[in-house]
Amino acid sequence: MGTIFMAQLMGALYGFLAVIIGAFGAHALKKKLTPELLQSFETGVKYQMYHAIVLLVLGFNLSFDKPLDSWIVNCFIFGTLLFSFSIYALCLGAAKGNKPRFLGPVTPLGGLLLVVGWALLLYSFVSNLI
């Protein structure tokens, strides 16, 4: 599978799941999570949807003729997976009275990958101007 296909596939999948997970959080978890946990859960959904849209835009607009393009897409794919889905797991675990501690460092690692993806995208734009 090529990087263009992966960007489009994962963008569509993340968007699809963000709507479902967001609805689940808004309806099924509203009474089970504290306001702080619900806010964290919603943050995961927002970031997932934002990056789903970014992946779709990149999938239809990047040329993918440079390795940098693949790095950007991979940072967004794996960053979103680690960031958003670790937040979901932490919130659901806390709602059941059990907090999976091993996920604590996963969220910032996902966030770091998202930041790297944005920095690489910025670098790509600037290097095309020079």
Side-chain angles (χ1 to χ4, degrees):
M1 283 187 260
T3 307
I4 293 172
F5 176 74
M6 285 304 294
Q8 293 170 348
L9 175 75
M10 294 307 293
L13 179 63
Y14 282 161
F16 170 77
L17 290 175
V19 172
I20 292 172
I21 293 168
F24 174 72
H27 299 289
L29 296 179
K30 194 170 192 172
K31 294 180 182 172
K32 296 183 183 196
L33 297 180
T34 65
E36 294 82 18
L37 285 174
L38 193 57
Q39 186 175 12
S40 291
F41 194 89
E42 290 171 357
T43 297
V45 172
K46 284 186 223 173
Y47 274 64
Q48 182 178 337
M49 183 57 83
Y50 297 153
H51 290 90
I53 294 166
V54 168
L55 283 167
L56 289 171
V57 169
L58 293 176
F60 286 105
N61 288 293
L62 283 181
S63 61
F64 293 97
D65 58 353
K66 300 175 291 231
L68 180 61
D69 295 343
S70 295
W71 279 97
I72 293 166
V73 167
N74 286 324
C75 282
F76 285 139
I77 289 172
F78 292 108
T80 301
L81 180 70
L82 295 175
F83 183 81
S84 292
F85 287 84
S86 66
I87 288 176
Y88 304 148
L90 286 166
C91 290
L92 292 172
K96 292 183 177 185
N98 131 20
K99 200 170 185 177
R101 297 194 192 283
F102 73 93
L103 287 175
V106 173
T107 307
L109 179 60
L112 178 62
L113 284 172
L114 293 174
V115 170
V116 169
W118 283 107
L120 291 174
L121 185 60
L122 177 63
Y123 174 79
S124 174
F125 292 154
V126 170
S127 67
N128 286 334
L129 293 174
I130 299 173

